Amino acid sequence: MYALLTLFFEQFPQYAKQDFHIAGESYAGHYIPVFTSEILSHKKRNINLKSVLIGNGLTDGLTQYEYYRPMACGDGGWPAVLDESECQTMDNSLARCQSLIESCYQSESVWSCVPASIYCNNAMMGPYQRTGQNVYDVRSKCEDSSNLCYSALGWISEFLNKKEVQAELGVEVSSYDSCNFDINRNFLFQGDWMKPFHRLVPSILEEIPVLIYAGDTDFICNWLGNRAWTDKLEWKGHKGYKSAETKDLKMGEEKTGTVKSSGNLTFMRIFAAGHMVPMNQPEPSLDFFNRWIGGEWFNN
């Protein structure tokens, strides 16, 4: 990724001086800390990196997996999806799950990280998935399981698989998948899923602002877990961040979420949005995004 960006800005130097921000969601909770750390490690660079944004990401499994049960059982601000006995089953599984993740964090080896992923995903996500509810939005059923619960993802795939579209884009592949599960499995079986990517964030915060945001109806990378790992994160500004006040996030007079910000770290909860925040809340998303890249919360 670093090589690609460097070559791009060499080829198009007119863009190299512009502010550059990296944003992503979900598994980007892994990618973004890695990409950012790599970019920042090159002191002589032609990438004018200003900030990073992670939406409903998976970054610190040890902390975040503790919050599957509360989110599924009505403690995340939305009605419970599971009944009491299922919630109890998840409670009973948590200690073993966390002990496996701790082993993964200590060794970062395939032999401890793969078992942690498999056990914890079955124990902490399995009960919810079996209800047929959308893992990306606790408010609705999974309407289209072949397209990650969203028919629109099927329409996108259909469009991007048209030969004339591929020719126009100049792509060098013959087919498009919104999610390639072979690649997904390869990441899982390399132990990547449970690795402690949050450990890269403190050094990033020393140099640039980081926004962690989360739609509050998502189950799979829910806002409770994202709030918890940012609160717990040990970094230079930890004390100031811990004592910072959580304020209303507003778009004009409308309350669209909450925001907590101190130093280079900001956490936002976006009301009534699932895993894909801009899909559920397009205007509030554009509003906070524009305000973020405009520097409103930098170095608060």
Side-chain angles (χ1 to χ4, degrees):
M1 183 58 72
Y2 173 74
L4 172 74
L5 289 170
T6 301
L7 290 169
F8 178 86
F9 287 124
E10 271 178 21
Q11 188 71 33
F12 302 102
Q14 67 270 36
Y15 300 124
K17 288 187 172 60
Q18 292 191 15
D19 291 355
F20 187 75
H21 303 262
I22 303 177
E25 59 105 62
S26 199
Y27 213 80
H30 284 36
Y31 306 146
I32 289 178
V34 175
F35 295 164
T36 309
S37 297
E38 180 65 27
I39 292 167
L40 295 175
S41 74
H42 297 268
K43 296 307 164 199
K44 267 192 80 176
R45 57 180 181 266
N46 63 352
I47 304 162
N48 189 20
L49 185 60
K50 291 294 187 187
S51 86
V52 296
L53 306 82
I54 301 172
N56 290 87
L58 172 63
T59 309
D60 174 9
L62 181 61
T63 303
Q64 289 181 254
Y65 270 65
E66 189 180 328
Y67 290 89
Y68 280 123
R69 181 245 177 244
M71 194 68 208
C73 299
D75 297 332
W78 297 90
V81 172
L82 301 181
D83 63 33
E84 274 181 49
S85 69
E86 291 165 320
C87 295
Q88 189 57 55
T89 302
M90 287 173 87
D91 279 337
N92 298 345
S93 305
L94 181 63
R96 178 154 184 232
C97 166
Q98 289 191 311
S99 142
L100 288 166
I101 300 174
E102 276 168 357
S103 300
C104 168
Y105 276 21
Q106 280 158 20
S107 70
E108 295 195 39
S109 83
V110 169
W111 310 111
S112 53
C113 293
V114 171
S117 308
I118 291 169
Y119 177 81
C120 293
N121 287 351
N122 286 335
M124 309 314 287
M125 289 187 207
Y128 183 101
Q129 287 169 316
R130 288 190 285 275
T131 66
Q133 201 77 352
N134 187 346
V135 293
Y136 306 114
D137 197 322
V138 297
R139 299 170 295 181
S140 60
K141 289 280 175 207
C142 183
E143 63 176 54
D144 184 351
S145 56
S146 61
N147 283 301
L148 300 177
C149 301
Y150 294 99
S151 300
L153 292 178
W155 309 336
I156 293 165
S157 295
E158 213 175 288
F159 177 73
L160 290 173
N161 276 305
K162 287 183 173 176
K163 291 288 163 262
E164 64 272 25
V165 173
Q166 291 180 356
E168 193 67 29
L169 291 172
V171 297
E172 295 175 11
V173 293
S174 55
S175 67
Y176 168 85
D177 285 324
S178 62
C179 255
N180 183 316
F181 284 98
D182 292 337
I183 291 172
N184 178 300
R185 274 189 293 276
N186 290 346
F187 271 98
L188 179 73
F189 289 123
Q190 283 300 314
D192 189 83
W193 188 287
M194 277 302 181
K195 285 187 180 172
F197 289 95
H198 65 290
R199 289 179 183 165
L200 297 171
V201 178
S203 58
I204 294 169
L205 287 166
E206 287 191 16
E207 296 196 48
I208 58 168
V210 173
L211 170 61
I212 307 297
Y213 69 90
D216 73 1
T217 69
D218 181 29
F219 168 73
I220 207 158
C221 295
N222 62 66
W223 76 276
L224 294 172
N226 271 291
R227 181 181 65 177
W229 83 256
T230 50
D231 277 344
K232 234 171 93 170
L233 187 70
E234 292 291 339
W235 61 291
K236 221 164 59 178
H238 172 71
K239 207 173 159 190
Y241 181 80
K242 204 170 166 55
S243 60
E245 185 192 346
T246 297
K247 298 174 178 173
D248 289 343
L249 180 63
K250 288 185 168 182
M251 183 177 66
E253 290 304 304
E254 185 191 348
K255 195 171 152 184
T256 57
T258 61
V259 57
K260 180 178 179 177
S261 190
S262 177
N264 269 343
L265 181 61
T266 301
F267 173 78
M268 286 181 191
R269 170 191 180 182
I270 310 300
F271 294 156
H275 192 66
M276 275 82 81
V277 173
M279 192 183 76
N280 297 123
Q281 295 292 357
E283 286 180 69
S285 298
L286 185 61
D287 182 66
F288 85 68
F289 179 75
N290 283 335
R291 287 161 65 189
W292 173 261
I293 61 173
E296 185 170 330
W297 291 280
F298 292 7
N299 286 309
N300 277 349

